[in-house]
Amino acid sequence: MRARRALLYMPGDDEHKIHKATTLEVDCICMDLEDGVAQNRKAEARKTIQEALKSINFGGSERLVRLNPVSSRFIDEDLENIITSKPDGIVLPKVKNADQISWVDRKISAIESKSGWMPGSIIILAIIESALGIVNLKEIASSSSRLRGLIFGAEDLAADVGATRTEPGWEVLYSRSAVVTFAAAYGLQAIDLVNTDFLNLEKLRAESLQGVQMGFSGKQIIHPNQVKVVQESFTPTDDQVKNAQEVVAEYLSYQEKGRGAFVSDGKMIDAPIVKSALALLERAKAAGKITIVPKIDYLKLGEGL
Ligand code: COA
Ligand code: MG
């Protein structure tokens, strides 16, 4: 699993911001062709992104491009120009159904095959940001082997359902939860909503930790200020890692003694808690904090093993 703790957008026609992004050690750099670019600058943005993919060293950051929606008049030129420049992946906005992803998947496959690239080398992240997208999550989440993650777009979702955005965000909670749940069901990462208030890092930290608690693996961001807070929030702390390692070790030792549930620090531990500990260790591994996560096959819990 690749860490996608922070996914930083910048307008695709802004060469300076693309360069700047490569200095930030951010997990994902997402050069935008959609809403961050004016209608009359799409061609310019495609050219700038092509040039960037060709000539800039992105270091360890994943090189992503957000295309325009499949239903838009820009998609054919986006695909033609961007896929041939071989980004690591594309972010597909306003995904409403599985057919849209399958269609893009086939287009990418054709270019991969023509270019002699390994099939499936370019990944897809899908933004779910409409009522229909939520309703069709099951089909979308299982639509393509290129799909690595679902991204939740709160602003578009709210506009689509006629909701008014509030500070606590209860109006998008159902959809936010649905995205993280369907992602988990299909082995995908889930990337949480944007916080546009980029000067308020306290609020950003609180919202990031809420995303972690809900099960998101990362968060979309729009400003360099946000990289550190978000990547820190989505990285388990030393104490959490140590505690998870201890829980797993204790669990294994009690299993040998023939006990599934036991008490540690005054609290009951059993399989679901161990499963959460293993998930936390996977996140720590993706973030480069540890190298090994124990494999406990029978902990594919509740699956009759
Ligand atoms: N990626 C990379 N660099 C960025 C950046 C981003 N998203 N946002 C700002 N920067 C750079 C600026 O260019 C500036 O660089 P410099 O110090 O070398 O001149 C520095 O970070 C500080 O920027 P600041 O002056 O605070 O912000 P700004 O007024 O230039 O830009 C926004 C504010 C919101 C317009 C800008 O952050 C932005 O474009 N964000 C992304 C918007 C987007 O892509 N939206 C669509 C997806 S939701
Ligand atoms: Mg959007």
Side-chain angles (χ1 to χ4, degrees), residues 207-226:
E207 194 181 86
S208 301
L209 291 174
Q210 191 182 49
V212 173
Q213 288 162 359
M214 289 180 76
F216 282 94
S217 37
K219 188 170 180 67
Q220 303 163 86
I221 58 173
I222 46 106
H223 192 278
N225 258 357
Q226 299 180 311

Side-chain angles (χ1 to χ4, degrees), residues 8-12 14 16-21 24 30 32 34-37 66 194 196 198-199 220-225:
L8 173 66
Y9 292 105
M10 73 286 317
D14 193 329
H16 176 76
K17 288 194 173 82
I18 298 174
H19 271 281
K20 178 110 185 165
L24 302 173
C30 186
D32 191 21
E34 199 212 8
D35 292 345
V37 176
R66 181 166 78 170
V194 173
T196 52
F198 61 83
L199 296 177
Q220 303 163 86
I221 58 173
I222 46 106
H223 192 278
N225 258 357

Side-chain angles (χ1 to χ4, degrees), residues 34-35 66 93-94 127 129 153 156:
E34 199 212 8
D35 292 345
R66 181 166 78 170
K94 302 192 175 64
I127 311 187
E129 48 189 342
D156 276 292

